[in-house]
Amino acid sequence: MSFHRPQHLHLTLEAPGAVMKYCSGEPVRVCDRVALGGRPGIVVCSIDDGVYTPDHPATQWAYLEARVMIDFPDFGLIHYTEPEPDLRLTAREHQP
């Protein structure tokens, strides 16, 4: 009998206090347009950077202490604490 050894994804988080990066190596920024499984979303706050959109202020999300929040119309708000392999940057917008 033979066993297939699964391949494991190797995700690296930066040191505490550093900003989260996409698996492509680019830093995640507020107002980035992204796609997850082909579904669009937008980064609405970066707790790491202390940058928040008006609809998602620090008073609402700073308690999470780290990383980013992304709003997907199809999925709702998702708090990411590590890079999602399927999350892709599709456009970089200006921060508010």
Side-chain angles (χ1 to χ4, degrees), residues 52-94:
Y52 301 82
T53 58
D55 291 340
H56 301 279
T59 55
Q60 187 175 15
W61 302 112
Y63 76 92
L64 296 172
E65 297 182 1
R67 303 307 185 207
V68 299
M69 182 75 70
I70 301 177
D71 190 8
F72 294 95
D74 291 345
F75 308 129
L77 288 169
I78 299 176
H79 175 229
Y80 283 95
T81 58
E82 57 185 57
E84 170 71 45
D86 295 333
L87 184 67
R88 304 279 182 250
L89 174 65
T90 59
R92 178 141 286 168
E93 302 290 331
H94 294 288

Side-chain angles (χ1 to χ4, degrees), residues 1 3 5 12 14 16 20 22 35-36 39 41 51 55-56 61 83 86 94-95:
M1 177 185 281
F3 292 94
R5 185 176 181 179
T12 303
E14 298 293 323
M20 193 170 96
Y22 298 102
L36 179 64
R39 302 291 204 311
V51 179
D55 291 340
H56 301 279
W61 302 112
D86 295 333
H94 294 288
Q95 293 183 358

Side-chain angles (χ1 to χ4, degrees), residues 9-27:
L9 294 173
H10 179 68
L11 299 177
T12 303
L13 290 178
E14 298 293 323
V19 296
M20 193 170 96
K21 295 181 181 179
Y22 298 102
C23 289
S24 64
E26 297 171 277

